[in-house]
């Protein structure tokens, strides 16, 4: 992850800490608003982990709760041989190894509802931003490179909570995130949606250049990301 990505994540975490300090305690030391902390694990196209903080009852005139979240997902990054051709060259030597990860930042508006008889349920919707990294390595082939994207998206879903104790709840959430296509960069090559590409490779045995759709076909950058996760919620 580059410096800009790390700075963005630290900025979000700082904002969360600031909101906690501003909106949970008054000058008299009493709760002004309610903040809840969630920890989740499950499937987010791949295996994922997540943590959220929810701010409730921010205003009598604002009908939604607000949730800020940070997630980490291990993903299949795509097709090793195609990625090599589109971003590097036509070589086929070496044993391919690959790994992928995605860090997502999310903001949700939540509204209470009754779902399957559970009145402690919510629907939610909000914007997303992701940092995707796919690593392709060819053992014995002297190639080891990353392909990265940064994407905006939107998502929504449903969530139910089940009380375990006064301050602890079991949560189950299901939803779908959709991310917009964005610049794909790897090695010394970059592909753009408008095909104003940088150092695009030639197709095998041809003078025709690869295009964005070829890079998108080779690399599984986030697009549709179904979420099915469970976890716990701690109420402050």
């Amino acid at each position: 992850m580059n410096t800009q990505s790390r700075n963005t994540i630290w900025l979000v975490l700082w904002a969360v800490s600031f909101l906690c300090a501003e909106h949970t305690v008054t000058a008299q030391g009493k709760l002004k608003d309610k903040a809840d902390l969630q920890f989740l694990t499950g499937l987010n196209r791949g295996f994922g982990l997540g943590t959220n903080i929810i701010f409730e009852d921010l205003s009598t005139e604002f009908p939604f709760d607000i949730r800020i979240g940070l997630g980490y997902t291990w993903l299949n990054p795509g097709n090793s041989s195609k990625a090599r051709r589109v971003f590097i060259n036509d070589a086929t030597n070496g044993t391919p190894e690959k790994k992928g990860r995605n860090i997502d930042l999310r903001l949700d508006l939540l509204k209470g509802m009754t779902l399957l008889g559970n009145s402690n349920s919510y629907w939610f919707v909000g914007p997303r931003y992701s940092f995707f990294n796919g690593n392709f390595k060819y053992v014995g082939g002297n190639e080891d490179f990353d392909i990265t994207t940064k994407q905006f998206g939107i998502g929504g879903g449903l969530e139910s909570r089940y009380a375990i104790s006064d301050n602890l709840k079991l949560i189950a959430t299901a939803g779908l995130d959709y991310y917009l296509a964005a610049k794909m960069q790897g090695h010394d090559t970059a592909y753009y949606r408008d095909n104003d590409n940088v150092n695009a490779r030639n197709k095998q045995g041809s003078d025709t250049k690869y295009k964005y759709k070829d890079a998108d076909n080779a690399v599984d950058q986030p697009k549709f990301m179904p979420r099915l996760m469970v976890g716990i919620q701690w109420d402050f």
Side-chain angles (χ1 to χ4, degrees):
M1 189 190 310
N2 60 31
T3 301
Q4 182 180 358
S5 300
R6 287 195 296 269
N7 289 342
T8 301
I9 293 173
W10 279 115
L11 179 61
V12 170
L13 294 176
W14 176 86
V16 169
S17 300
F18 177 79
L19 285 171
C20 287
E22 284 291 308
H23 293 289
T24 59
V25 182
T26 67
Q28 291 76 29
K30 296 181 180 179
L31 286 178
K32 180 180 178 182
D33 305 314
K34 185 179 177 183
D36 306 320
L37 188 62
Q38 296 180 329
F39 298 98
L40 298 160
T41 185
L43 297 177
N44 186 23
R45 202 187 89 182
F47 176 72
L49 302 171
T51 182
N52 306 314
I53 188 164
I54 304 172
F55 302 99
E56 299 180 346
D57 304 322
L58 293 173
S59 169
T60 57
E61 298 177 354
F62 188 68
F64 300 100
D65 297 338
I66 294 179
R67 175 166 62 192
I68 299 173
L70 173 66
Y72 190 103
T73 305
W74 289 265
L75 297 174
N76 180 347
N79 186 294
S80 298
S81 58
K82 289 182 179 180
R84 189 179 197 177
R85 288 196 297 269
V86 174
F87 285 89
I88 304 291
N89 53 44
D90 293 330
T92 59
N93 61 318
T95 302
E97 295 180 354
K98 60 183 180 179
K99 57 185 178 182
R101 68 173 186 267
N102 190 63
I103 296 173
D104 64 85
L105 305 176
R106 57 188 57 242
L107 175 67
D108 283 317
L109 298 178
L110 298 95
K111 182 68 173 178
M113 62 176 293
T114 298
L115 179 64
L116 299 178
N118 184 352
S119 59
N120 194 11
S121 298
Y122 300 81
W123 61 263
F124 58 87
V125 65
R128 312 284 186 256
Y129 192 70
S130 79
F131 304 87
F132 168 80
N133 182 288
N135 176 260
F136 298 89
K137 183 178 181 179
Y138 303 83
V139 180
N142 196 31
E143 296 288 1
D144 186 350
F145 64 98
D146 293 333
I147 297 174
T148 60
T149 66
K150 300 174 185 177
Q151 300 165 258
F152 286 100
I154 189 168
L158 302 171
E159 178 174 297
S160 290
R161 304 170 188 171
Y162 305 90
I164 299 175
S165 65
D166 290 341
N167 295 325
L168 189 65
K169 294 183 178 71
L170 174 69
I171 56 177
T173 183
L176 179 67
D177 296 335
Y178 174 72
Y179 289 94
L180 300 173
K183 178 183 77 170
M184 305 178 68
Q185 184 164 355
H187 201 252
D188 59 351
T189 300
Y191 291 93
Y192 294 82
R193 287 180 294 174
D194 62 1
N195 282 310
D196 186 16
N197 303 318
V198 176
N199 202 23
R201 297 301 195 257
N202 290 335
K203 293 186 177 181
Q204 190 171 16
S206 170
D207 291 332
T208 303
K209 300 286 187 182
Y210 283 111
K211 296 185 177 181
Y212 184 88
K213 66 178 182 180
D214 301 305
D216 189 41
N217 184 48
V219 179
D220 288 340
Q221 64 173 327
K223 191 171 294 182
F224 289 101
M225 300 279 284
R227 290 170 58 84
L228 185 61
M229 307 188 82
V230 296
I232 58 172
Q233 174 175 309
W234 178 261
D235 300 340
F236 290 104

